[in-house]
Amino acid sequence: MPRTEFISVGFHVPERVMTNDDLTQWWETSDEWIRERTGIEQRHWVEPGQEAGSDLALEATRKALAAADMDASELDCIIYATLSPDYFFPGGGVFLQRKLGIKGIPALDIRNQCTGFIYGLSIADAWIRTGQYRRVLLVGSEVHSTGMDFRPEGRDVSVLFGDGAGAAILGPTEDDGRGVLSTHLFADGRYAEKLWCESDASARFPRISHEDLDAGRHYALMEGREVFKHAVVRMPQSVRTALEANELSLEDVDLLIAHQANLRINEMVGRQLGLSEERVYNNIQRYGNTTAATIPIAVTEAVEKGLLNRGDLLLLTAFGSGFTWASAAVRW
Ligand code: COA
């Protein structure tokens, strides 16, 4: 059975840069507070109402297609991971497909928040190994800025998130030893309300009311400390699981790319695993948390900076709302 390789990657972020200082026009916060607690220095936001998540995904996909010297018509399937779909339904995948000017191929939407890219990778890997699809476009794309809670109490969540998209084109490789070695997916729904958005929701009647809007139930709600506590345990655990599954050790790891939610979380993860700073790639400083897009954006940058080369062992890990968490071992 062939393995799945990353044929190419690409990413796109909107032009508008919002520094920490820029945020003080809405919230009582400071560059110092945000940097110290999260490492974030700036993030990119769309021009409100001008760019949707599927537009960012389109740009990221175009770059990945160009890097692979491929045309969109050569794609067999789209997997689109997001927690901020353009619309409640249909999912973002069909909008991306339409913007790519192709039709007929399946478009699957993944709703696993910060873990969405690795969940999507797992599905793409299964399809490619079994021969169902040969050229899979896997995209993570988010627009958070149009859903920011601009009330004073929104400051804890709103300063963390940014907009952006990352894309990977995946396909089979017969090059023995290279490709996705394994993926490992986990979830624990007992913590669903620790980081969630309650309304607009079909579980409620009415789905959204004036009272919900007044109470801000349509904004993301997070118990930050609880999320932090679980993230620093689950991500290292999932990395170890991936290594054990492949009879590899931490010494074998060339690069760890963890979900970019908080630099402090990733520093703790790196320390727990005994990985030196050079072996852990972070870019949250410039983009904030772009949820399903953090990993493909970081992978693209790592490739562009020459930090990830053919044959290197790349470990991916993510943790987020659900709670869900996941890892992947990839021989690049
Ligand atoms: N600017 C300034 N002060 C802020 C603030 C902001 N943006 N947000 C919260 N505060 C204040 C709080 O009101 C609180 O004030 P108080 O002590 O007077 O009550 C104080 O800062 C500490 O708040 P707390 O929420 O306890 O801070 P923290 O040290 O836990 O840091 C997070 C908050 C969100 C940075 C941190 O919990 C975190 O990163 N958690 C994980 C988040 C995450 O990863 N989310 C995505 C998962 S995919």
Side-chain angles (χ1 to χ4, degrees):
M1 213 181 262
R3 282 219 174 104
T4 301
E5 72 167 340
F6 281 72
I7 298 170
S8 68
V9 285
F11 81 96
H12 176 75
V13 289
E15 263 177 39
R16 186 157 72 121
V17 173
M18 301 298 294
T19 64
N20 293 340
D21 282 333
D22 291 333
L23 304 188
T24 60
Q25 63 186 294
W26 296 292
W27 297 288
E28 201 175 306
T29 188
S30 66
D31 180 50
E32 191 192 1
W33 192 96
I34 300 171
R35 264 180 214 251
E36 266 176 21
R37 299 281 164 107
T38 71
I40 299 167
E41 296 167 17
Q42 61 170 54
R43 73 286 291 138
H44 293 246
W45 285 7
V46 295
E47 290 297 336
Q50 304 290 305
E51 291 163 289
S54 59
D55 293 314
L56 305 184
L58 175 67
E59 291 309 316
T61 301
R62 282 184 174 149
K63 288 177 190 166
L65 285 169
D69 200 15
M70 270 176 66
D71 188 79
S73 61
E74 294 172 67
L75 295 170
D76 295 328
C77 170
I78 296 171
I79 303 179
Y80 190 106
T82 188
L83 71 63
S84 54
D86 293 7
Y87 300 98
F88 201 91
F89 72 89
V94 294
F95 292 103
L96 173 60
Q97 187 204 51
R98 191 167 74 187
K99 287 172 183 172
L100 282 166
I102 51 178
K103 57 185 179 201
I105 65 166
L108 172 73
D109 287 83
I110 301 272
R111 293 298 307 271
N112 290 93
Q113 303 73 247
C114 304
T115 316
F117 189 81
I118 302 182
Y119 266 67
L121 180 62
S122 185
I123 294 167
D125 182 39
W127 279 343
I128 289 167
R129 280 183 192 232
T130 54
Q132 183 155 353
Y133 301 114
R134 284 185 60 81
R135 292 286 177 265
V136 178
L137 168 65
L138 171 59
V139 183
S141 182
E142 305 286 357
V143 170
H144 287 293
S145 59
T146 53
M148 292 295 178
D149 181 355
F150 287 101
R151 301 170 308 160
E153 56 267 48
R155 68 178 177 176
D156 61 332
V157 174
S158 300
V159 301
L160 304 176
F161 292 93
D163 304 338
I169 297 172
L170 304 159
T173 175
E174 300 294 343
D175 186 349
D176 202 25
R178 281 185 56 250
V180 176
L181 306 183
S182 62
T183 56
H184 307 268
L185 311 180
F186 308 93
D188 190 341
R190 288 177 302 167
Y191 300 99
E193 290 85 6
K194 300 291 178 193
L195 175 49
W196 76 322
C197 185
E198 192 179 352
S199 186
D200 170 10
S202 65
R204 300 167 56 88
F205 185 75
R207 289 182 174 184
I208 190 159
S209 64
H210 289 292
E211 192 216 324
D212 290 331
L213 290 170
D214 291 342
R217 292 195 189 96
H218 56 304
Y219 296 126
L221 193 72
M222 176 179 73
E223 287 182 36
R225 293 207 166 190
E226 193 71 9
V227 175
F228 196 112
K229 215 172 66 188
H230 285 263
V232 295
V233 172
R234 294 308 194 183
M235 287 201 283
Q237 228 171 41
S238 71
V239 168
R240 289 183 196 279
T241 302
L243 290 171
E244 276 161 27
N246 296 288
E247 295 177 357
L248 292 163
S249 74
L250 284 159
E251 286 77 60
D252 298 315
V253 176
D254 293 295
L255 197 65
L256 172 70
I257 294 184
H259 169 55
Q260 305 288 304
N262 184 321
L263 188 60
R264 308 297 160 234
I265 291 178
N266 289 1
E267 285 169 349
M268 284 176 77
V269 169
R271 273 201 300 276
Q272 281 186 53
L273 294 171
L275 295 172
S276 57
E277 272 179 32
E278 313 82 72
R279 289 199 288 160
V280 183
Y281 185 71
N282 288 305
N283 60 10
I284 188 171
Q285 299 90 330
R286 284 172 285 124
Y287 304 116
N289 182 350
T290 58
T291 322
T294 64
I295 290 180
I297 293 176
V299 169
T300 308
E301 283 197 343
V303 171
E304 286 172 357
K305 288 172 193 272
L307 300 172
L308 191 52
N309 297 296
R310 202 176 170 88
D312 281 353
L313 180 65
L314 168 69
L315 264 290
L316 303 176
T317 181
F319 178 88
S321 161
F323 291 149
T324 58
W325 62 102
S327 64
V330 181
R331 182 66 69 186
W332 195 256

